[in-house]
Amino acid sequence: MSLLHLAIIAPFLMAIFIPFLYKGFRRIHTGWFVLIVPILLFSYFLHFIPIVKGNETVTKTIRWIPSLNIELTAFVDGLGLLFALLITGIGSLVVLYSIFYLSKKKEQLHNFYVYLLLFMGAMLGVVLSDNLISLYMFWEFTSISSFLLIGYWYQRDGSRYGAQKSMLITVFGGLAMLGGFLLLYIMGGTFSIRELIGMADVLMSKSLFVPAMLLILLGAFTKSAQFPFHIWLPDAMEAPTPVSAYLHSATMVKAGLYLVARMSPIFAEHALWLWLVGSFGIFTMTWGSFNAVKQTDLKGILAFSTVSQLGLIMSLLGVGAAALHYKNMDENLFIVATVAAIFHLINHATFKGSLFMVVGIIDHETGTRDIRKLGGLMGLMPITFTIALIGSFSMAGLPPFNGFLSKEMFFTGMVRVLDMDFFSLDTWGILFPVLAWVGSIFTFLYSMVLFFKTFSGRLQQEKLERKPHEAPFGMLLPPIILASLVVIFGFFPNILTYNIIEPAVGAILPSLLKPGEHFVGHISFWHGFTVELFMTIGVITGGTLLYITYPKWKKVYTIIPEKLTLNSMYDRGLYWAETGSYQLTRTYMTGFIRTYLVYIFIFFIGITGVTLYVKDAFKLDTSNVAPIGSYEVVLALIVLAGSATILLAKSRLTSIIALGAIGYTVSLFFVLFRAPDLALTQLVIETVSVALFLLAFYHLPPLNRHERSVGFKLSNALISLGVGLIVTLVAISAHSNKLFDSIAKYYIENTHDKAGGENMVNVILVDFRGFDTMFEICVLGIAALGIYGMVKLRLTQGGKADEKK
Amino acid sequence: MKKNDVILQTVTNVVAFMIILFSLQVFFSGHYHPGGGFIGGLMTSGAIVLLLLAYDIKTVASIIPIDYKILIGIGLFFAVGTGAGSLFFNVPFLTHAFNHFDLPLLGETSLHTAVLFDTGVYLVVIGVTMTIIQTIGESE
């Protein structure tokens, strides 16, 4: 366990203490305690900057399940560090903001901060893991914690709906991704990403390469809300605004981008990668920005804008992959796309984070987020106004903010596609700059809508819930910091260039970076009268025209009928899945355990019997059988008599007692065959279960006539005879077929040396097969809670929960 | 429904403690002699069940005021926590350690982390058995 690992699990550790801090210090907002964690982590991660700047990496390993090659490997390189800084940096600001946003009187703060910390830790785990399995584990942790955060106001229908939607879609993608990881493991024999990168050439020739790529991309696309999986993100806006600012703009949704960037060295030389990542990205960008314009909810606009911007970065990552086809650094014109991707990723986190916070402030101070009700806030909220101006103009790609710089590089990257003469990019490649341009026009448009509809025009006080005024300073500080970063990165982009961007790009395109060479030239505002500049001028003119004429063309949005939208398809799919599985289940679930036992036993007889027959496995071998003594015969007769009593008994009480007698007899068998542990366990279990039977017996309904009918008894008799026969056959065959050496020897030899014990049974339980025991007690616990739930929480006819006191 | 079972109750008062003591003995000697967390837990719950039979659920609940559902949680925490603890020493999950120590009063004793794990099992077993029995017994 190193300091680096500790840093990753620090949020989890803190999460344990939150409920106690919440209860213990009611007068202090819990957020202040939480704030310590991201700030400390941020300063801790800062000290890696000089390390990764020199193209060095840090690796620390904890062995987790070595036999399966699963490790907890913390790995810091340029890319991981960039994300770690974003997560902890934006995280600090978001926590600070939330302290003022969430009322300590009304809200369940401890829940909120536990979820937020879980999320933070999970996210750090994702970006700093080298082992694919631990990456996957943390990845699903982010899905779960974001589910909890979106559903934080679980009393609202919308929150529950949004939480479920995001969970279903991202977990679906996550499972696909796990499949991709396993395929990579099958091909490469390792879960380590760095080792896989090292054998990228070998992997590419394998037949599983493309399926693995598709599955992993599915994971990345669902997480990063790429078309057509973007539908969960707007619904996720039901979460509290700090969560939206954090998860749905700065961090979690970028996990998909991270994954694509991380996997680029493995997959990028394949044409399909460039095409898929590039085209899905650029289409999402255009589609998202187009749809953002029609939104009337400020958060809705920002949600679609996030979808669009994620698409933008995704397309840049895809196009940037082309750089790998040119090994010569000096002439490699395509690296700019990857540089732009990383640069825009940082910029997006700054301006989108601040915009979300601004929207939160507006919501908080006016009581609405509807742009039809808002307007004229400029004079009342001057500071918020300034922040919003910086944020939205940067988002629109206007100078002198950082969004302008990265958007110009984005155009450069897209225009360069035309220079590529492979993968049939010379014909279809024209789509990239065209879509990029169209998307940017709409980006400009919705940024202006967001800004002007809120702050200019006439104040409509009658439509607002409360009288707007400037927000408290604590709420303003985080967006002010982010907005100043927007300006600083805009004027001095080169403070990032060699410290942050270049190591990150180096991690995405490792084969191209030679020591002492630089990828990135100076980023500057003025780059001459180039195509990009004219494109920008076109964007501004086109956007302004569309803004003025909006009422005339807004009917475009109603062209697609509601029935054909992705959202309604999702809803209908969910509906059919639910009703379909309900119908299916109703056909065989009768509610009687005896019916289920019949299914189980028939399957058991069928599968085991057929296997025994087909494999010709039945064998009777009496050469190695212990002599049968008089005790055993007597005990066997008692068991038989007990079974017969159960069958013939008229009352349940007799059956229960007879069953107990059989159990005790079996434990005598254990005594005879010198298994005191088993005998002891059997005795106690028998005692407890008889007591349990007697308790439950009181509640059982009387035996009904159905159970006395001949047909019922006959079929039951047949099934039980069949089960008895199969079990006997299996037991005899198992004894007679000795295919392997007994494993007992291993335990005999190692019980004392490795586990320091004398009692082999117990040593097996806790040492050699501790996993079994652990999961067994988990199952027991779940079963007990299940029984508790079933008995205590009875559903009444209307289906309403009616908990008994 | 409850009658005054003087004999059963008097015997139970004595026997229940003997069973619990014996179950502890069985639990702690698990690594060397027949026993362990599973049987120990079952036996302890057996003793509590005996109390339930001799008295009634309310009386027993006032004697032993434990929420068995929480006991399950504590037990699982012990078991998983012991497993996870090994990660701090950079060894695989659920690796156990043992050593011999010279303790006051007890003399030379071998201490195993496995016992911590077993404590988890012990608690979970009691929790599960008693949760089930109590819920079914309480319901009308």
Side-chain angles (χ1 to χ4, degrees), chain A residues 45-56:
Chain A
F45 282 117
L46 278 181
H47 96 267
F48 283 104
I49 288 183
I51 301 175
V52 299
K53 196 180 168 186
N55 278 323
E56 282 175 46

Side-chain angles (χ1 to χ4, degrees), chain A residues 660-793:
Chain A
I662 295 177
Y664 287 120
T665 321
V666 169
S667 71
L668 282 181
F669 269 115
F670 291 139
V671 173
L672 280 183
F673 293 116
R674 275 170 289 165
D677 274 278
L678 281 177
L680 206 54
T681 315
Q682 176 75 16
L683 270 177
V684 185
I685 285 201
E686 219 38 60
T687 311
V688 174
S689 59
V690 166
L692 194 63
F693 263 129
L694 290 173
L695 275 174
F697 158 78
Y698 184 72
H699 303 287
L700 288 176
L703 295 167
N704 64 25
R705 196 171 295 150
H706 171 64
E707 285 166 30
R708 293 202 194 110
S709 75
V710 181
F712 181 79
K713 282 200 169 177
L714 200 67
S715 60
N716 276 9
L718 270 178
I719 291 170
S720 44
L721 277 178
V723 172
L725 189 70
I726 289 290
V727 170
T728 317
L729 286 179
V730 167
I732 295 175
S733 312
H735 178 78
S736 309
N737 282 319
K738 284 266 190 284
L739 296 177
F740 306 103
D741 286 339
S742 167
I743 198 174
K745 211 172 152 210
Y746 172 83
Y747 293 127
I748 294 171
E749 281 167 1
N750 290 307
T751 298
H752 191 81
D753 300 340
K754 287 197 173 160
E758 303 278 335
N759 172 17
M760 207 196 301
V761 176
N762 197 43
V763 166
I764 291 174
L765 281 178
V766 297
D767 282 278
F768 293 123
R769 309 204 61 86
F771 248 115
D772 286 359
T773 312
M774 199 180 84
F775 287 126
E776 238 159 55
I777 58 175
C778 288
V779 169
L780 276 180
I782 293 167
L785 294 181
I787 290 174
Y788 178 81
M790 279 203 297
V791 175
K792 290 277 170 182
L793 193 85

Side-chain angles (χ1 to χ4, degrees), chain A residues 61-64 66 677 681 684-685 688 692 695 699 754-759 762 766-767 770-771 788 791-792, chain B residues 30-35 39 42 49 69 87 90-94 96 98 112 117-118 128-129 133 135-136 138-139:
Chain A
T61 305
I62 291 184
R63 297 162 68 201
W64 183 13
D677 274 278
T681 315
V684 185
I685 285 201
V688 174
L692 194 63
L695 275 174
H699 303 287
K754 287 197 173 160
E758 303 278 335
N759 172 17
N762 197 43
V766 297
D767 282 278
F771 248 115
Y788 178 81
V791 175
K792 290 277 170 182
Chain B
H31 233 59
Y32 295 95
H33 304 286
I39 307 173
L42 269 179
V49 170
K69 297 187 292 301
L87 291 182
N90 207 11
V91 286
F93 187 70
L94 265 179
H96 287 306
F98 63 93
H112 299 245
F117 182 76
D118 228 13
V128 166
T129 333
I133 289 180
T135 354
I136 294 180
E138 266 174 4
S139 81

Side-chain angles (χ1 to χ4, degrees), chain A residues 94 97-98 101-102 112 153 237-249 299 302 353 355-361 363-364 369 475:
Chain A
V94 163
Y97 179 79
S98 70
Y101 187 81
L102 291 171
F112 179 79
W153 284 315
M237 290 301 131
E238 291 294 334
T241 303
V243 173
S244 309
Y246 192 34
L247 271 68
H248 307 128
S249 72
K299 266 177 105 173
L302 287 182
L355 281 177
F356 264 114
M357 291 177 185
V358 162
V359 167
I361 290 172
D363 189 13
H364 207 260
R369 295 195 309 250
M475 235 162 132

